[in-house]
Amino acid sequence: MSETGSTLPRRQLGRYLREARSALGMSQDRVAKAADVSTSVLQRLESGIHTRLKVRDLRAVCEVLEMPQETTDAMVGLLKQAGEQSWWHEYDSLIPANFDVYVGLETAARRLITYQPALVPGLLQIPEYARALIRAVKPDESAADHERRLELRMRRQAKLSRRYEPLQLEVVLHEAALHCNVGDPVVMGAQLRHLAEIGKMPNVSVRVLPFKAGAPVGDPVGQFAILEFDDGGREHVWPPVVYLETFIGCMYLEKDGDVRRYFRVLDSLRGAALDESVSRSLLRHVAKEFSA
């Protein structure tokens, strides 16, 4: 695998292996010996450092770590994708569709900045709003499957209120999202009031980009998220990642020029958005319209 490939799949692979090993209380030496790989190789894997490793050896490590087959397949997919220059993750590609790569990335982030032009981001959705979206996206799934997806989405929100190092979240929400009727008017009213309240948290910022702002970037801008990381106890801080989601897959951008361009876009959106106090007032006003 090329040293110039994407670092993100390697970092994600390392984090999952490290967490699985810690959960079992096993040392690196013990896992390496049981999987018949060198300890130095396992150390490099867990650190997200390029290393030559055969798929069968990684599967052996996953077996020692008692990973289920689907998770093992996802780890193999991450290993194979680490050689790509840009990481385009299709939902039906090497990584199983039920293995949510983005959730792992979000869990490792210390700060998340997102622009949403049409919908409330998952971290700020109330259950009724999230349930309506899940049903629309997965109409063929059972009610039980819908509830499992809802539970996962709600669990993700815990990182905003945890006592130790809560996630720093900044959201720029286009005014169109305030009027996009998800569920029904009662759901929308509750959702908008929730946004107004949660935006008071010291680690959460919710600002609205009003219709009157026009097109501050000049070009159409779809939803995106910028994730920033701490050093995770390592020597170097992981570089920021831009996450783009489409209907058929996700793109993870790591190149410095790409990331800088999205930060410039973000600056334009921030400059045109309402401040937090005015945004809260607008959220409450539109909530009352839904309740009328």
Side-chain angles (χ1 to χ4, degrees):
M1 291 188 185
S2 170
E3 278 280 27
T4 61
S6 174
T7 65
L8 184 54
R10 292 200 299 267
R11 284 158 28 195
Q12 287 293 86
L13 172 60
R15 190 180 69 83
Y16 284 117
L17 295 178
R18 189 169 61 251
E19 288 182 351
R21 180 177 58 78
S22 297
L24 293 175
M26 298 178 70
S27 67
Q28 287 182 332
D29 288 339
R30 183 179 170 191
V31 172
K33 184 176 181 179
D36 196 23
V37 299
S38 71
T39 302
S40 62
V41 164
L42 184 59
Q43 289 173 341
R44 290 172 67 85
L45 272 176
E46 289 193 2
S47 299
I49 299 173
H50 171 75
T51 186
R52 294 187 179 278
L53 185 73
K54 294 179 179 178
V55 169
R56 68 169 181 266
D57 292 330
L58 177 57
R59 288 191 179 278
V61 170
C62 292
E63 183 177 358
V64 172
L65 295 176
E66 300 179 7
M67 287 184 169
Q69 186 61 50
E70 182 181 90
T71 304
T72 297
D73 291 342
M75 298 303 102
V76 171
L78 289 171
L79 179 69
K80 290 180 177 179
Q81 290 189 342
E84 302 297 326
Q85 289 290 332
S86 294
W87 191 17
W88 167 251
H89 169 46
E90 292 179 279
Y91 294 131
D92 60 352
S93 64
L94 292 170
I95 298 175
N98 288 332
F99 189 86
D100 198 325
V101 174
Y102 174 75
V103 169
L105 186 66
E106 184 184 84
T107 299
R110 68 169 176 83
R111 188 174 184 224
L112 191 157
I113 312 164
T114 184
Y115 169 65
Q116 295 289 334
L119 297 171
V120 174
L123 286 172
L124 299 182
Q125 292 173 5
I126 62 173
E128 295 80 8
Y129 185 99
R131 185 180 287 111
L133 290 177
I134 290 169
R135 287 173 176 169
V137 172
K138 301 289 184 180
D140 298 329
E141 286 190 346
S142 67
D145 286 336
H146 288 160
E147 290 305 304
R148 279 192 289 270
R149 290 184 183 276
L150 176 63
E151 182 182 358
L152 172 61
R153 190 166 301 185
M154 294 300 104
R155 283 207 306 266
R156 285 170 53 199
Q157 297 181 4
K159 60 178 66 70
L160 292 174
S161 57
R162 65 192 177 198
R163 182 170 300 179
Y164 178 70
E165 295 185 351
L167 177 69
Q168 302 294 313
L169 176 65
E170 178 183 349
V171 176
V172 178
L173 191 66
H174 197 283
E175 188 175 352
L178 279 56
H179 299 274
C180 183
N181 194 356
V182 174
D184 58 38
V186 174
V187 170
M188 284 303 301
Q191 176 64 76
L192 297 181
R193 288 191 294 272
H194 174 70
L195 288 176
E197 289 303 310
I198 201 168
K200 296 178 181 178
M201 294 175 63
N203 59 309
V204 177
S205 170
V206 179
R207 298 175 61 193
V208 176
L209 180 68
F211 289 124
K212 66 181 181 181
V217 180
D219 289 323
V221 180
Q223 67 180 40
F224 67 88
I226 302 175
L227 298 103
E228 298 179 329
F229 308 89
D230 60 21
D231 62 5
R234 286 163 181 74
E235 185 177 352
H236 300 292
V237 176
W238 289 349
V241 172
V242 176
Y243 169 76
L244 308 174
E245 184 175 5
T246 72
F247 192 67
I248 60 170
C250 308
M251 177 69 81
Y252 299 86
L253 304 178
E254 302 173 82
K255 292 181 180 179
D256 185 64
D258 293 336
V259 175
R260 287 181 181 273
R261 184 175 182 183
Y262 268 92
F263 269 113
R264 288 195 295 270
V265 168
L266 178 64
D267 285 342
S268 296
L269 296 174
R270 283 168 166 164
L274 304 174
D275 66 27
E276 293 182 47
S277 177
V278 176
S279 294
R280 280 195 292 271
S281 296
L282 178 59
L283 287 164
R284 293 188 180 111
H285 175 74
V286 179
K288 288 180 180 178
E289 292 182 349
F290 274 109
S291 301

